[in-house]
């Protein structure tokens, strides 16, 4: 359970990535968020129920 104020968003909410980092491992490219989401450097995610979310970097417009 989150003890931060304000409470962190749950893992299934649209803003799940806004949860606070509780363990950061930048040398390995991932961080554990308060809501148990593992956030990867490439913007991919591993959700607490085992589902993976593909990286979702913004697309760059080609001119």
């Amino acid at each position: 359970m989150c003890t931060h104020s304000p409470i962190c968003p749950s893992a299934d909410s649209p803003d799940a990535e806004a949860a606070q980092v509780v363990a950061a491992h930048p040398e390995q490219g991932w961080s554990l968020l308060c809501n148990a989401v593992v956030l990867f450097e490439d913007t991919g995610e591993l959700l607490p129920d085992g589902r993976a979310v593909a990286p979702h970097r913004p697309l760059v417009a080609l001119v």
Side-chain angles (χ1 to χ4, degrees):
M1 186 76 190
C2 178
T3 59
H4 300 109
S5 181
I7 294 175
C8 291
S10 66
D12 58 353
S13 69
D15 60 344
E17 295 175 9
Q20 292 197 16
V21 173
V22 294
H25 293 278
E27 71 283 357
Q28 296 176 355
W30 63 273
S31 296
L32 175 63
L33 304 181
C34 182
N35 56 8
V37 170
V38 177
L39 183 62
F40 294 98
E41 187 176 84
D42 68 354
T43 69
E45 301 173 19
L46 184 58
L47 302 178
D49 63 4
R51 289 181 293 143
V53 176
H56 46 278
R57 292 183 178 176
L59 297 176
V60 178
L62 299 175
V63 180

